[in-house]
Every structure is written in structure tokens, then in C-alpha cells.
Amino acid sequence: STGGDSSLCTLCPEGKGVEPGQGGSQEDCDWKSCSAGQYLDQQSGCQDCPADQWSTGGNTPMCTRCPDGKGVDSGHGSSEEDCVKKPCPAGQYLDQEHGRKHTHVYEVS
């Protein structure tokens, strides 16, 4: 609100804010910082990072992909350390030395 009368103040839209005494109009309202595991979409505010991506939060406009073969649930990655090795599909194992998946054929007798 203009004029300094706090009884005439209007709330910023959801997800936005302004420092005390700095808001003269709705255009002064900025997006609040996002939590870790989120990115800032300028149209809709904070959004969870998609699965297999992470973010430290703040005002970052995009998330960072986990390294190959690693993943994290949507909205739960706050650093690359949160990315964990994905389990191999049935019939495969992870070569710890080379990081590649190999197929192992099981014979049924």
C-alpha cells in the first residue's frame, strides 16, 4: 500500500513477498526463495524438481540432472549427494568397477 498506513496494506499473491516498507504496488512483490529440491518457475512459483534431478533451492530457474545410473525422487534432491545408484533390472548386475550394467543369463535345470 502507498502512504504508510498499514491498515490499507494488501497481501502479495501467494508465493510472493516484499520487504517491509518496500511495496507500493503488486508489481513490487517478488517470488519467495524456493526450498531445496525445487526450482523457480517465473509464471507459477516454486515447483518440485522432476525425478532424477536436484536443486539447492533459492531462485534457480532449473534443476540439475543426477549422474548417469543415479536418481532421486521428485522434490527430494537437494544436492548431488542425494542421487543414489538405481537398482538394475532383473537379470542384470552393476559392475562396481566400471559402472556398467551386465546381463547375467540364468540357466534353469
Side-chain angles (χ1 to χ4, degrees):
S1 134
T2 57
D5 184 351
S6 62
S7 66
L8 299 175
C9 294
T10 303
L11 289 174
C12 286
E14 186 175 346
K16 291 187 173 187
V18 66
E19 294 296 319
Q22 300 300 309
S25 70
Q26 185 170 324
E27 287 76 35
D28 295 326
C29 300
D30 289 321
W31 288 109
K32 294 179 182 177
S33 290
C34 298
S35 300
Q38 296 183 320
Y39 69 97
L40 180 60
D41 179 305
Q42 288 295 331
Q43 301 303 313
S44 55
C46 295
Q47 303 293 313
D48 284 348
C49 289
D52 303 334
Q53 296 185 27
W54 62 273
S55 167
T56 57
N59 292 328
T60 185
M62 57 191 285
C63 301
T64 303
R65 288 193 177 281
C66 290
D68 286 346
K70 292 187 175 186
V72 65
D73 290 338
S74 176
H76 290 275
S78 59
S79 71
E80 187 173 322
E81 287 76 36
D82 290 329
C83 300
V84 295
K85 289 181 182 174
K86 291 183 177 184
C88 295
Q92 295 185 347
Y93 70 93
L94 182 63
D95 182 334
Q96 296 293 327
E97 184 177 336
H98 300 102
R100 292 188 298 245
K101 293 180 183 178
H102 295 277
T103 302
H104 178 77
V105 179
Y106 295 95
E107 291 188 28
V108 180
S109 43

